[in-house]
Amino acid sequence: MKALVKTTAAAGLSYVDIPEPSMGREDVRIRVLRTGICGTDVHIHRWDGWAQRTLTLPRVVGHEFVGEIVEVGAGVGALRPGQLVGAEAHLTCERCAHCRAGARHLCTGTQGLGVQRDGVFAEFITLPARSIWVHAPGISLDVAAIFDPFGNAVHAADTFDLGGRTVLITGAGPIGALTAAVAVHRGARLVAVTDVNPFRLKLAQTLGAHHAVEAAPGAVSRLLADLGMDTGFDVAFEMSGNPQALHETLSHVDRGGHVGLLGLPPEPVPADWADLSLRMITVHGISGRRVFDTWHSMRELLRDGLDPQPLITHRFPADEHDEAFAAAAEGSAGKVVLTWSEPTGATA
Ligand code: NAD
Ligand code: ZN
């Protein structure tokens, strides 16, 4: 089968033939239809310091996908060929205390698809049945392909009660823009987004953000003054990974307010802990998705009319991966989706 593989310790990926993955009793074999390119894949493509420290080569890349089941293992009861599926890309150990307590998002032995084990940028993948999510009938393939970052946004937004609240989001990348959409859907009274990239600010507005502000020193303070708000935001999400943005988030949340941290700064960032303490701020780390609560919430949000489609700005066939990665690395893109094959239409 064809796959996009990091074969050598250098920039780029190779579109090569590799053997189809083997299959166990508890696994399903999936034909990949669409995949999304994540920032993680761009780091691996570039072969930056994080990728060099983290990956063992060769490695099939990718973790955002939708596919069609083609085979189920003898020990798999509830799934069948023809079903349109995604998967939780953090493969959990099922043995640690958190897994056994049903908190699989806190698993201590989690392995990332396309990072610690071979990923989904391939014609076929096999995955444990316990990690599979079956999509609602009629879902758009593009939207199903981006359930992973959509899930990050839903996990973040649903960590807090946003109804009637004022919300700041620093970073209007795919996750920040989707969080704005979910926050509006959940009834937030005011959703403001910052970014240094005008294209992405526009995208966040298309997805529902009420205010989109170019990030610059003093910009959030000016927005608060313009809006006549003499307090900070009730809830602030850091979704850029930029240290200056993290500072903006922490300093513009209201007294007694809540901060959701999802962005990953490349280095440790100092913070004014005394200020956070005296203002009684709650800081909540957010990673991945809740398995599978977040997935159920995504299904309901789509059914209720939330539409992430405007976020998908580029589509390429898998063999045009160079063009696709160039688009994903460049500023004027939301999500970039690769096509691997079409559904057979086999009834599930
Ligand atoms: P992305 O890199 O596409 O988006 C980040 C955005 O932040 C970009 O649009 C960038 O222009 C903007 N930005 C840069 N400097 C800024 C500043 N000073 N102020 C405001 N915005 C600024 O990333 P993404 O895929 O949307 O992910 C967002 C963040 O979340 C990244 O840091 C990523 O590493 C992290 N992440 C965390 C998890 C998790 O589970 N915790 C999962 C996925 C991604
Ligand atoms: Zn575990």
Side-chain angles (χ1 to χ4, degrees), residues 24 26 37 78 97 107 152 180 183 190-191 195-196 216 222 233 244 260 262 279 346:
E26 308 292 332
I37 297 180
C107 173
N152 294 136
L190 186 153
V191 178
D195 202 296
V196 289
R222 280 195 295 280
F233 292 87
Q244 184 55 36
L262 190 118
R279 290 196 296 123

Side-chain angles (χ1 to χ4, degrees), residues 92-96 99 107-109:
T92 50
C93 77
E94 307 303 313
R95 290 186 298 275
C96 75
C99 280
C107 173
T108 52

Side-chain angles (χ1 to χ4, degrees), residues 9-348:
L13 293 173
S14 309
Y15 187 66
V16 290
D17 284 300
I18 60 168
E20 284 188 25
S22 60
M23 159 110 183
R25 269 182 60 79
E26 308 292 332
D27 291 341
V28 297
R29 184 189 303 282
I30 299 164
R31 197 161 52 77
V32 175
L33 304 174
R34 303 281 187 278
T35 59
I37 297 180
C38 171
T40 304
D41 307 320
V42 176
H43 287 290
I44 296 171
H45 186 276
R46 265 191 214 133
W47 200 237
D48 66 9
W50 169 83
Q52 291 175 33
R53 288 191 302 277
T54 312
L55 266 78
T56 313
L57 305 187
R59 177 66 70 223
V60 180
V61 182
H63 57 275
E64 301 178 2
F65 82 103
V66 58
E68 194 174 71
I69 296 184
V70 290
E71 186 185 353
V72 299
V76 177
L79 299 169
R80 53 192 186 282
Q83 284 180 314
L84 194 67
V85 295
E88 172 49 54
H90 292 156
L91 298 181
T92 50
C93 77
E94 307 303 313
R95 290 186 298 275
C96 75
H98 292 300
C99 280
R100 288 168 63 188
R104 292 166 72 188
H105 60 292
L106 300 176
C107 173
T108 52
T110 190
Q111 289 199 317
L113 272 183
V115 180
Q116 281 91 15
R117 55 175 277 174
D118 280 340
V120 303
F121 288 177
E123 288 182 286
F124 293 93
I125 45 164
T126 61
L127 289 169
R130 66 171 188 272
S131 299
I132 299 297
W133 170 259
V134 180
H135 283 292
I139 190 171
S140 126
L141 291 181
D142 284 345
V143 170
I146 63 161
F147 253 45
D148 188 286
F150 183 27
N152 294 136
V154 171
H155 182 187
D158 285 355
T159 297
F160 310 99
D161 178 3
L162 299 182
R165 308 285 175 175
T166 56
V167 176
L168 172 68
I169 301 169
T170 52
I175 298 173
L178 285 168
T179 303
V182 179
V184 170
H185 197 91
R186 295 286 189 228
R189 180 161 66 80
L190 186 153
V191 178
V193 173
T194 71
D195 202 296
V196 289
N197 177 334
F199 179 88
R200 290 203 149 172
L201 286 172
K202 193 127 194 80
L203 210 49
Q205 276 184 308
T206 305
L207 281 159
H210 304 125
H211 300 276
V213 178
E214 193 151 340
V220 179
S221 301
R222 280 195 295 280
L223 174 70
L224 285 169
D226 289 349
L227 293 170
M229 285 171 62
D230 50 10
T231 63
F233 292 87
D234 297 319
V235 182
F237 294 100
E238 204 312 285
M239 300 197 150
S240 73
N242 180 281
Q244 184 55 36
L246 175 56
H247 175 70
E248 294 285 335
T249 305
L250 296 175
S251 47
H252 289 102
V253 65
D254 194 13
R255 294 174 74 83
H258 294 263
V259 173
L261 287 187
L262 190 118
L264 303 173
E267 311 284 342
V269 181
D272 186 344
W273 297 106
D275 169 63
L276 295 176
S277 172
L278 292 169
R279 290 196 296 123
M280 291 175 279
I281 306 300
T282 304
V283 178
H284 207 301
I286 295 157
S287 180
R289 294 145 297 279
R290 286 177 177 265
V291 190
F292 279 91
D293 323 26
T294 302
W295 298 72
H296 284 286
S297 298
M298 285 190 270
R299 172 182 287 178
E300 285 160 14
L301 284 160
L302 295 179
R303 196 183 53 205
D304 291 349
L306 187 147
D307 184 12
Q309 299 231 39
L311 188 64
I312 299 155
T313 54
H314 293 70
R315 296 168 183 81
F316 294 92
D319 59 354
E320 291 180 20
H321 56 94
D322 280 333
E323 293 83 346
F325 271 85
E330 201 248 322
S332 305
K335 287 302 293 187
V336 179
V337 169
L338 294 172
T339 297
W340 292 83
S341 62
E342 295 303 327
T344 60
T347 45

